[in-house]
Amino acid sequence: MVDEAAEGMRTGAMTLTDVARAAGVGESTASRVLRGHGSFSEKTRESVLSAARSLGYVPNRIAGTLASTGSKLVGIVIPSLSNIVFPDVLRGANTVLVGAGFQPVVAVTDYDQGREESLIESLLSWRPAGMMVAGLEHTERTGAMLRQARIRVAELLDTDGEGIDIVVGFSNREAGRTSGRHLVSRGYRQIGYVGHDLSRDLRAAKRFAGFRSALEEAGLKVAAQEIIPASSSIEAGRDGLARLLERGTNLDAVYFSNDDMAIGGYFHCLARGIAIPGQMAIFGFNGLDVARSAPQPLSTILTPRVAVGENGARLVCSEGPPARIDLGFELIEGATT
Amino acid sequence: MVDEAAEGMRTGAMTLTDVARAAGVGESTASRVLRGHGSFSEKTRESVLSAARSLGYVPNRIAGTLASTGSKLVGIVIPSLSNIVFPDVLRGANTVLVGAGFQPVVAVTDYDQGREESLIESLLSWRPAGMMVAGLEHTERTGAMLRQARIRVAELLDTDGEGIDIVVGFSNREAGRTSGRHLVSRGYRQIGYVGHDLSRDLRAAKRFAGFRSALEEAGLKVAAQEIIPASSSIEAGRDGLARLLERGTNLDAVYFSNDDMAIGGYFHCLARGIAIPGQMAIFGFNGLDVARSAPQPLSTILTPRVAVGENGARLVCSEGPPARIDLGFELIEGATT
DNA sequence: ACGAAATATGGCAGCGCTGCCATAAATTAT
DNA sequence: ATAATTTATGGCAGCGCTGCCATATTTCGT
């Protein structure tokens, strides 16, 4: 179907000039038709369109972007792809972005601020229309680059701190505090913590800090804690709880750094026949599907991950002054507390 | 630290010309230094670099790509971000791509071939160096565009069919067959199936076909099946099994369209006190973390998702003839069969 | 019917960079 | 010392497209 009659010999691909020539019109006319801008007659429209179709013309947005002002790319920087949380944010962002004619370009930092810096530098060289980044903490140079770029920058998933331009998320500190208060109000007093590497996951660290402050309000403190020096996972949660219990500390509840970890703890209890919440209460964070569908729905904090992506994307695509949206979170009183 | 002395007034950002002028050298010299190509003296190098640094210069890859031949972008087209399977592939691809200096650009089709077509058309307009797509089934026009593009194209996660250029994956049909044979060899005879929307997830359909053929080999057929007209999820699996059992069919095993669905089924049994595998055996597909860490590890097929992404990316970045890599899969004999 | 206003269309200068070619300067060979 | 190389460096034409301006070519208003 597609005509292979090679005209231009530059990069092999058909160019606007080829289409214009084939349609017997000028380049600008062809350009207008193809983009639906400006005015042109119906006859012209048809001949350009049919020429484009028969030549198998694919517009070159690289050239288009260079010629016009801004690009239609939006950089998205997330720490990980291993935890469904970030794909969720990405999904929300993607929907809105594509709907608005933008193309997401993703980069994964692996929770490393140095890598974040170089990835952002690299993304900026594509002259994106905007940038979406997870979290508020960056290296000084990252912050400088983002500010210098004079583009929309959205920082996601955290509101505990100052942002560069747009901030969309919720307070991790408050989430931790709410979690702690919930456990206290349920009457638990010997409360432990099982978490993953906090030095890299700063938002988890904020939750833990908020959590501790809630216990302190009640005159309590974390009875025992176990930090797995790795990223969060179900297995890490399972091992973490196992190790915590091996120590013999008497615990009636455990707060986990997130749902993955908590589900691991839940599985450990199921496997060991530890009654939940009778012998051991479990609390997580995120409100994942797996937590909601478990035989006993997990008590956790539901976070608006997709909405964070959507709102961030919407603001990045729009004009306006710096904005700050706190989407909050929801305490899920499941069956594990 | 960064000097704000605006020189160029075009798009606001610093250009190579600005850097060259500030360093007192020609554009091409500045370009060579910045890219580390060609030759230049140490003195020149330093002055260019320091000029670039103090001006806060960020190279414009849009311009660079247009001027040189190919881009350093690679398009990645996946059906979904809701299931961890695709982020896993993406993760593998991302690691290799970034390591080789490429920038991934993702698009999500939502299992819709029409959307896939338009997303791919849009991606191609960025003149990517290569393209990675999930699956072998595309619209005719998608196939034509991919072939016309004269770039590396990798089709992932399936080897049951003809590919365009590079194919990296495993046989879903064989995976289904292996699953069926496993259940049969374990002595199960009343085998049911709980799946999600197969009209869109063609690979799940292939697995089910392979599965049925294994049962037929043993003179059996699917005793009962329940298809949830939605995408796969833990909840869908749970509901699906519940509905299947409500019908009163006597079943001793159920094959699920994937691990998400299977975990849902597993949770249903736990909640209802159905003994596994005594009263009911469960078999899934993918080998997710949650399946491996459950109190009873799920019997399933472990798929090399990250490796698929890695190998696909490696081949896309390289020269050479069309390739086909079958990475196989692994039968996990868990505790649910 | 005649200029005014709208509608169509082509020409061409860049966008910022790379690649090629021509020089100029430093080094080595003879 | 002079030629032959090697190393440095600048100039400039595009890459394919868009945006602006200049030119037709209609369509109206009165």
Side-chain angles (χ1 to χ4, degrees), chain B residues 93-116:
Chain B
N94 182 66
T95 308
V96 173
L97 255 22
V98 170
F102 289 85
Q103 180 61 249
V105 184
V106 312
V108 181
T109 68
D110 206 17
Y111 286 103
D112 181 325
Q113 289 200 349
R115 180 146 27 214
E116 179 183 75

Side-chain angles (χ1 to χ4, degrees), chain A residues 216-227:
Chain A
E216 278 160 23
E217 282 174 5
L220 298 173
K221 50 182 205 147
V222 176
Q225 67 179 62
E226 180 71 33
I227 306 283

Side-chain angles (χ1 to χ4, degrees), chain A residues 10-11 16 31 35 57:
Chain A
R10 297 145 295 265
T11 42
L16 221 211
S31 174
R35 286 180 301 151
Y57 173 69

Side-chain angles (χ1 to χ4, degrees), chain B residues 10-11 16 31 35 57 67:
Chain B
R10 297 144 296 265
T11 42
L16 221 210
S31 175
R35 286 179 304 151
Y57 173 69

Side-chain angles (χ1 to χ4, degrees), chain B residues 298-323:
Chain B
L298 184 67
S299 294
T300 188
I301 297 277
L302 176 63
T303 54
R305 304 181 294 279
V306 178
V308 166
E310 291 168 343
N311 281 279
R314 191 156 39 71
L315 289 172
V316 161
C317 295
S318 66
E319 304 287 292

Side-chain angles (χ1 to χ4, degrees), chain A residues 81-307:
Chain A
L81 280 170
S82 305
N83 187 319
I84 193 69
V85 165
F86 301 105
D88 277 346
V89 175
L90 197 52
R91 180 156 53 97
N94 182 65
T95 308
V96 172
L97 254 23
V98 170
F102 289 84
Q103 181 62 247
V105 184
V106 311
V108 182
T109 68
D110 207 17
Y111 286 103
D112 180 324
Q113 290 200 347
R115 182 149 23 216
E116 180 184 74
E117 181 177 304
S118 67
L119 287 169
I120 286 179
E121 180 170 23
S122 169
L123 281 180
L124 286 175
S125 73
W126 290 105
R127 292 293 186 270
M131 199 80 137
M132 303 175 68
V133 194
L136 298 167
E137 284 76 24
H138 316 288
T139 66
E140 202 176 318
R141 202 165 89 84
T142 299
M145 289 192 299
L146 254 16
R147 256 176 280 262
Q148 293 285 315
R150 305 183 166 290
I151 57 176
R152 288 302 249 179
V153 175
E155 291 168 281
L156 311 177
L157 294 170
D158 194 5
T159 57
D160 297 320
E162 288 305 302
I164 294 173
D165 178 17
I166 297 161
V167 176
V168 180
F170 46 81
S171 168
N172 281 273
R173 196 176 305 273
E174 274 311 312
R177 194 168 286 143
T178 300
S179 308
R181 284 180 183 150
H182 171 76
L183 289 177
V184 169
S185 76
R186 275 282 206 270
Y188 300 107
R189 290 297 174 269
Q190 294 297 315
I191 308 178
Y193 174 76
V194 172
H196 59 279
D197 187 0
L198 296 179
S199 66
R200 295 155 71 87
D201 187 342
L202 270 19
R203 289 178 293 286
K206 289 176 180 180
R207 294 196 292 276
F208 188 32
F211 176 77
R212 284 194 309 265
S213 80
L215 296 202
E216 278 160 23
E217 282 174 5
L220 298 173
K221 50 182 205 147
V222 176
Q225 67 179 62
E226 180 71 33
I227 306 283
I228 301 289
S231 55
S232 72
S233 69
I234 295 178
E235 202 180 344
R238 210 179 149 157
D239 292 352
L241 182 56
R243 228 170 285 170
L244 194 64
L245 296 181
E246 270 170 18
R247 292 204 227 139
T249 324
N250 189 38
L251 297 176
D252 54 15
V254 174
Y255 177 55
F256 289 82
S257 51
N258 65 213
D259 277 1
D260 298 85
M261 301 290 286
I263 285 292
Y266 175 67
F267 283 168
H268 177 76
C269 293
L270 283 189
R272 293 298 175 86
I274 299 172
I276 298 171
Q279 284 177 268
M280 171 68 72
I282 288 178
F283 199 95
F285 176 80
N286 265 334
L288 304 186
D289 285 359
V290 65
R292 191 177 53 222
S293 301
Q296 299 176 75
L298 184 68
S299 295
T300 187
I301 296 277
L302 176 63
T303 54
R305 304 180 294 279
V306 178

Side-chain angles (χ1 to χ4, degrees), chain B residues 218-287:
Chain B
L220 298 174
K221 51 181 203 145
V222 176
Q225 67 180 61
E226 181 72 33
I227 306 282
I228 300 289
S231 55
S232 73
S233 69
I234 295 178
E235 202 181 346
R238 209 177 151 159
D239 292 351
L241 181 57
R243 227 171 285 171
L244 195 64
L245 296 181
E246 269 169 19
R247 291 203 226 142
T249 324
N250 189 39
L251 296 177
D252 53 16
V254 173
Y255 176 55
F256 289 82
S257 51
N258 64 213
D259 277 2
D260 297 84
M261 301 291 285
I263 285 293
Y266 176 67
F267 283 168
H268 177 76
C269 292
L270 283 188
R272 293 300 176 84
I274 299 171
I276 298 172
Q279 286 177 266
M280 171 69 71
I282 289 178
F283 199 95
F285 176 79
N286 264 333

